[in-house]
Amino acid sequence: MDKLYENILSEVKKLPIIDTHEHLDMEEHRVKKGVDLFSLFMTHYASSDLISAGMPVEDMDKLRGNQLDIDEKWRIFKPYWERAKNTSYCQCLLIAVKDIYGVDDINDFTYQELNARIVSMNKPGLYRRILKDMSHIELSICDVYWPDPFLLDEEFYRPAVRFDEFIFVESSDDISALEKRHGRYINSLNQWVRLLEDTMKEYKEKYHICAVKSGLAYSRILRYERTDYSEAEAIFNQLLSARGVGSEFCIQTKPLQDYMMHKVVQIASEMDLPIQIHTGLQEGNGNVITNSNPSHLINLFMDYPQARFDIFHAGYPYGGELSAIVKNFPNVYADMCWAHIISREYAVRILEEWLDTIPANKIFGFGGDYIFVEGVYGHQVIARENIARALANKVEKGYIKEGQCLDIAQRLLYQNPKDFFKL
Ligand SMILES: [Zn+2]
């Protein structure tokens, strides 16, 4: 078995990747801002596990800030790192530290040297080395609120833009914010929808966005009811009439949000832009997992057969439901972005199940989903291992032949996203 796994892995390691989802801080910003070991690695993910392990949020803020020196930060960090370092989030950092900075562990004897290496290598060229030379990533789709000029480096990135601010409207301040950004006065729901349409069109033509992204599972349930224009308009008009009162005037706006989500799907579909939707676990601590079950989205999949949906994070922990959905609907695809480091065990298990259930052209194998580039490296190492492990298990069980493995892996990591996003 080990030999079989090693054989498959050695081939999978050579494959180029199209990375379906990142939040990368652009190299130009990062180099200018400066980093240390803790402000960098506690940006997200492992930080959530340290808080889950008991670290007070104020201590996490100290690690992210620049008031303390590296020794003071280590003393805060160490007890919680000891408790949480078993998780895939933390293991991902250890892989990055070893391969990128040549440091074997994060402990009393290594943290100062590791920090010194991170600081000294925070220079232009870092992203080329990590994303291209070490990770073999051909392109990364980056999730943004509006196109950043640095994202337009088409050798590295394609933008996927969020239009959630057009959907998640709770006060007149939310309307004013977009009026200001786009330099347009809004006087009716119709004008609001037109602004959405014009903005999506402009971003597609000018910035070559390759997808629309929605992250609203962080803020509300994913069930978007079909709503009449008149019902949504009445709520929108109430908000407009409260201009000046600002966010103190808050009403229940779910029907308006639902209406606007349907509009986003309709318009994206007309523009042939796929829609990437966050489902499953929310990053951070203390959110409502049941809000994010991909099954809430079924009416959208049914109502818009021409729209193409990329469903994120292997639906963790609802991967079984996602499997049934993707099997059912030709317009819905399953994406493993982030999933390999939420849990390596889950990722292997669910991929084995999916390869029994879903046609192999409908699974996307990797999205790093990191703000800092070291995380992307560690994540792709783990993703390649997980994919090789799932394939080896299936060969061992006699479900597929060893000769099929490379073709499946190549589809998952490269060909499927390349075709779907028309890259
Ligand atoms: Zn993300």
Side-chain angles (χ1 to χ4, degrees):
M1 181 60 191
D2 278 354
K3 181 97 181 68
L4 175 65
Y5 166 69
E6 292 300 337
N7 282 346
I8 296 170
L9 181 60
S10 72
E11 293 301 315
V12 171
K13 275 183 176 171
K14 296 177 199 155
L15 292 172
I17 288 179
I18 301 234
D19 170 1
T20 60
H21 180 56
E22 295 294 352
H23 299 271
L24 286 168
D25 185 14
M26 295 291 101
E27 185 181 80
E28 291 80 355
H29 298 158
R30 170 174 160 167
V31 167
K32 213 160 103 194
K33 179 176 77 186
V35 291
D36 71 33
L37 162 61
F38 300 101
S39 68
L40 186 67
F41 283 1
M42 291 296 103
T43 309
H44 59 141
Y45 298 155
S47 57
S48 300
D49 281 350
L50 266 58
I51 288 171
S52 177
M55 179 186 279
V57 175
E58 308 78 64
D59 282 353
M60 183 55 71
D61 291 340
K62 287 179 194 160
L63 295 180
R64 288 170 177 159
N66 52 16
Q67 297 300 310
L68 301 184
D69 69 28
I70 208 72
D71 301 317
E72 290 167 317
K73 286 187 175 186
W74 172 250
R75 281 195 290 277
I76 293 175
F77 176 82
K78 181 183 169 183
Y80 301 100
W81 173 252
E82 294 294 334
R83 294 180 197 178
K85 66 182 180 189
N86 56 291
T87 69
S88 297
Y89 284 168
C90 296
Q91 294 291 313
C92 180
L93 297 182
L94 288 174
I95 291 169
V97 158
K98 185 163 183 277
D99 292 356
I100 298 170
Y101 296 109
V103 173
D104 274 341
D105 191 15
I106 303 176
N107 61 37
D108 282 312
F109 306 102
T110 62
Y111 77 88
Q112 286 171 331
E113 178 60 23
L114 173 58
N115 181 60
R117 290 185 192 184
I118 287 173
V119 171
S120 80
M121 283 164 69
N122 192 39
K123 290 193 191 109
L126 181 73
Y127 279 34
R128 176 171 298 283
R129 178 176 164 237
I130 294 180
L131 293 174
K132 298 281 186 196
D133 303 345
M134 295 184 72
S135 305
H136 309 300
I137 293 175
E138 190 172 293
L139 273 179
S140 295
I141 296 176
C142 286
D143 174 348
V144 293
Y145 286 87
W146 57 87
D148 177 319
F150 294 118
L151 260 180
L152 302 180
D153 184 349
E154 294 202 338
E155 194 197 339
F156 285 83
Y157 317 112
R158 292 288 184 284
V161 177
R162 294 187 188 216
F163 294 87
D164 288 346
E165 289 158 299
F166 286 91
I167 302 167
F168 197 68
V169 180
E170 290 192 297
S171 74
S172 64
D173 282 358
D174 295 332
I175 300 171
S176 306
L178 288 195
E179 282 179 320
K180 217 168 139 193
R181 186 185 307 156
H182 297 285
R184 209 190 275 191
Y185 188 73
I186 298 295
N187 220 359
S188 69
L189 180 58
N190 255 329
Q191 289 179 1
W192 187 245
V193 173
R194 205 166 314 132
L195 178 61
L196 163 69
E197 201 168 357
D198 292 349
T199 306
M200 207 184 283
K201 195 162 173 226
E202 181 197 338
Y203 286 176
K204 187 176 181 209
E205 284 168 3
K206 233 161 116 180
Y207 304 112
H208 306 162
I209 67 172
C210 69
V212 168
K213 165 76 194 295
S214 181
L216 286 175
Y218 279 84
S219 320
R220 50 157 288 166
I221 192 163
L222 285 179
R223 173 80 192 174
Y224 297 97
E225 306 291 347
R226 185 174 270 283
T227 310
D228 287 343
Y229 181 81
S230 57
E231 193 186 347
E233 186 189 32
I235 296 168
F236 195 77
N237 286 344
Q238 266 185 284
L239 295 177
L240 285 180
S241 64
R243 273 186 203 274
V245 184
S247 53
E248 280 158 37
F249 177 82
C250 253
I251 53 171
Q252 167 55 261
T253 63
K254 185 171 182 292
L256 170 63
Q257 297 173 26
D258 292 358
Y259 179 84
M260 288 305 297
M261 182 60 169
H262 281 252
K263 280 288 160 204
V264 165
V265 171
Q266 287 165 16
I267 295 166
S269 163
E270 281 161 23
M271 292 185 192
D272 193 27
L273 285 169
I275 301 140
Q276 298 186 312
I277 301 182
H278 178 107
T279 72
L281 182 70
Q282 299 95 343
E283 155 59 0
N285 301 87
N287 213 319
V288 183
I289 189 65
T290 47
N291 275 348
S292 67
N293 188 326
S295 294
H296 293 309
L297 294 163
I298 287 172
N299 66 320
L300 289 180
F301 304 151
M302 247 178 213
D303 284 357
Y304 304 103
Q306 302 305 323
R308 294 182 295 127
F309 295 94
D310 171 10
I311 303 304
F312 272 14
H313 312 318
Y316 180 83
Y318 305 108
E321 285 171 65
L322 182 56
S323 177
I325 291 167
V326 176
K327 188 177 181 66
N328 250 275
F329 292 96
N331 59 334
V332 185
Y333 289 66
D335 196 323
M336 300 196 76
C337 60
W338 190 19
H340 296 284
I341 52 157
I342 292 173
S343 162
R344 287 171 291 188
E345 296 283 356
Y346 173 83
V348 172
R349 225 164 44 226
I350 206 68
L351 184 55
E352 281 190 57
E353 182 176 324
W354 284 359
L355 286 172
D356 251 13
T357 329
I358 306 174
N361 68 310
K362 296 187 71 187
I363 303 168
F364 304 144
F366 178 73
D369 209 356
Y370 265 100
I371 292 172
F372 55 98
V373 74
E374 288 87 346
V376 180
Y377 173 80
H379 195 171
Q380 62 81 33
V381 169
I382 291 174
R384 290 177 197 270
E385 289 173 358
N386 289 348
I387 290 169
R389 179 71 65 192
L391 291 169
N393 288 346
K394 295 189 88 64
V395 173
E396 176 83 357
K397 290 172 188 169
Y399 295 167
I400 59 172
K401 300 249 185 315
E402 190 177 350
Q404 292 173 267
C405 291
L406 193 58
D407 175 58
I408 294 172
Q410 196 268 353
R411 280 179 180 279
L412 266 50
L413 290 173
Y414 188 82
Q415 201 58 45
N416 294 345
K418 190 175 176 71
D419 294 344
F420 183 81
F421 294 102
K422 306 187 176 176
L423 299 171

